[in-house]
Amino acid sequence: MKNKTHILLIYTGGTIGMVKDYESGALKAFDFDKMSKHIPELAQLDCSIDSVSFDKPIDSSNMNPDHWAKIATLIEENYEDHDGFVVLHGSDTMSYTASALSFMLENLAKPVIFTGSQLPIGDLRTDAKENLITSIQIAALQKKGKPVIQEVGLYFEYKLYRGNRTTKINAEHFQAFTSLNHPPLAESGVHLRVFNEYLMQRKNVKRFLVHKKLDANVVILKLFPGLNRAVVQSVLGTPNLKALVLETYGAGNAPTDHWLLEDLGKAMKNGLHIVNVTQCSGGSVILGQYKTSEQLKELQIINGKDITTEAAITKLMYLLGSGVSHKLFKTVFETSLRGEMQ
């Protein structure tokens, strides 16, 4: 007789964990111990579901690296006893958390699926039920006794994406996320279709490792017409700053003002790591394609290629926390560790 897969549901906070009190109209926290009462459809899934919640569920706007470490710890403590994990999370910072966890969970061989919703689970037109049910179904998928998904994913509005490839693009539509530089891993319609060719391939089974030490001495600087030297110097002069994500135009282009190149070069000589990522939702940095990026290439700025800003900033925190040497930092960052870049 086939054993049921065991799924752990981790509730961190967010809209998906709220139900409406129809008498007062107020939202209140959903009791996940009574899931079967609110969502009887779960009984049709061929898996057992355990749940654990943050002691104090938080709005995702308050999410920080300490919370990421808490999620990672819950997965670590329950890793051997469960076949998959579903993390319920507010949508606003979900791409940041999914990206961070992808780096923190090394040699992950089980699914960690992030999901949430735009409307509370008890709302008449809610998207929460479908997102939750399908996320659990995806986390429970097995083939020849092994999980089909063996990475951190993000499921929202009928599509499963690689977590560290996602960006939230809409605050009102149910289709809140996109992954313009990497195809979906799975799609839910009349049938649940998994695109195996896009999944992370695990050739060698290595010991599962959890990295909880992150260094948040990082910052994002977005270029815009009119950006002045005082602002740039203020950012570069931030005490204890170790790394900067520079959001440039198009394929990695920046103004050719002498002062900007001088200040960036000086900061790099003083040990600051600078990563060039594009402001565009899709596409890649191609240093040297235009004259406006040639000088950045000469400075030996880190090429972020097609990485998202969310993945870039969390990868920096991970690498800095892991103690990667200054000499190797550029090479390691430009290498895809969890499928976050090409």
Side-chain angles (χ1 to χ4, degrees):
M1 184 175 178
K2 180 190 171 188
N3 293 324
K4 283 190 174 184
T5 53
H6 296 277
I7 305 301
L8 180 65
L9 200 65
I10 301 172
Y11 177 55
T12 68
T15 302
I16 193 170
M18 308 301 289
V19 290
K20 184 178 287 185
D21 184 326
Y22 287 101
E23 290 185 6
S24 66
L27 294 175
K28 59 183 181 181
F30 178 73
D31 185 354
F32 284 94
D33 290 331
K34 298 179 180 178
M35 274 195 303
S36 58
K37 176 184 175 182
H38 291 276
I39 315 172
E41 297 91 339
L42 290 175
Q44 298 180 46
L45 297 176
D46 190 25
C47 62
S48 62
I49 304 168
D50 298 321
S51 65
V52 60
S53 299
F54 275 17
D55 294 333
K56 292 183 179 180
I58 61 169
D59 187 289
S60 72
S61 295
N62 291 318
M63 190 63 64
N64 63 45
D66 289 337
H67 297 123
W68 296 341
K70 187 173 182 178
I71 297 170
T73 299
L74 287 170
I75 293 171
E76 180 181 32
E77 292 174 347
N78 292 278
Y79 193 76
E80 295 302 323
D81 299 327
H82 292 83
D83 302 295
F85 303 85
V86 173
V87 183
L88 304 183
H89 192 291
S91 61
D92 285 350
T93 60
M94 193 188 299
S95 289
Y96 289 95
T97 303
S99 296
L101 265 291
S102 75
F103 298 119
M104 297 168 74
L105 305 177
E106 186 177 359
N107 300 326
L108 180 65
K110 298 180 180 183
V112 175
I113 310 299
F114 280 82
T115 195
S117 66
Q118 296 287 62
L119 290 175
I121 204 163
D123 203 272
L124 181 63
R125 297 177 52 254
T126 186
D127 56 329
K129 281 190 177 182
E130 197 283 323
N131 285 348
L132 176 59
I133 291 168
T134 307
S135 292
I136 294 172
Q137 187 177 14
I138 289 171
L141 288 176
Q142 298 258 325
K143 186 176 182 180
K144 296 181 180 179
K146 294 182 179 180
V148 172
I149 310 297
Q150 299 184 25
E151 58 182 288
V152 176
L154 189 157
Y155 180 82
F156 224 90
E157 190 63 7
Y158 306 120
K159 289 185 179 179
L160 174 70
Y161 302 110
R162 177 164 296 153
N164 57 32
R165 288 287 196 155
T166 61
T167 297
K168 185 176 181 182
I169 56 167
N170 201 297
E172 294 185 359
H173 294 174
F174 287 149
Q175 191 173 346
F177 291 86
T178 192
S179 171
L180 292 176
N181 288 335
H182 195 276
L185 306 181
E187 190 167 354
S188 174
V190 174
H191 303 285
L192 182 60
R193 295 179 59 202
V194 177
F195 305 113
N196 292 291
E197 64 271 28
Y198 300 131
L199 299 177
M200 293 283 286
Q201 303 298 323
R202 304 291 177 191
K203 296 180 181 178
N204 300 314
V205 179
K206 297 182 180 179
R207 187 167 66 90
F208 176 57
L209 300 172
V210 180
H211 303 273
K212 301 173 194 174
K213 187 176 180 181
L214 301 174
D215 192 330
N217 287 296
V218 296
V219 72
I220 299 169
L221 176 61
K222 184 171 185 172
L223 297 183
F224 60 90
L227 178 65
N228 64 62
R229 189 172 196 177
V231 171
V232 172
Q233 289 186 337
S234 176
V235 172
L236 295 177
T238 302
N240 301 315
L241 185 65
K242 297 178 182 177
L244 177 144
V245 173
L246 185 67
E247 285 196 349
T248 55
Y249 307 127
N253 306 312
T256 54
D257 298 287
H258 177 72
W259 64 263
L260 178 61
L261 297 167
E262 180 183 332
D263 290 348
L264 292 178
K266 183 178 178 181
M268 291 176 65
K269 286 181 180 178
N270 290 333
L272 186 70
H273 302 289
I274 300 179
V275 181
N276 186 353
V277 304
T278 176
Q279 294 181 14
C280 301
S281 299
S284 178
V285 167
I286 308 174
L287 287 172
Q289 184 176 23
Y290 297 96
K291 286 187 177 181
T292 44
S293 68
E294 281 182 354
Q295 289 168 303
L296 295 180
K297 185 177 182 180
E298 290 173 7
L299 283 177
Q300 287 293 295
I301 278 180
I302 298 170
N303 187 345
K305 303 177 183 178
D306 65 346
I307 198 170
T308 63
T309 294
E310 294 91 337
I313 200 75
T314 52
K315 187 174 183 177
L316 284 174
M317 292 183 192
Y318 164 68
L319 294 180
L320 290 169
S322 298
V324 175
S325 71
H326 189 84
K327 184 179 180 181
L328 293 176
F329 201 93
K330 183 176 188 295
T331 300
V332 175
F333 191 97
E334 291 179 352
T335 301
S336 179
L337 303 179
R338 311 283 191 268
E340 73 280 1
M341 65 199 310
Q342 284 188 336

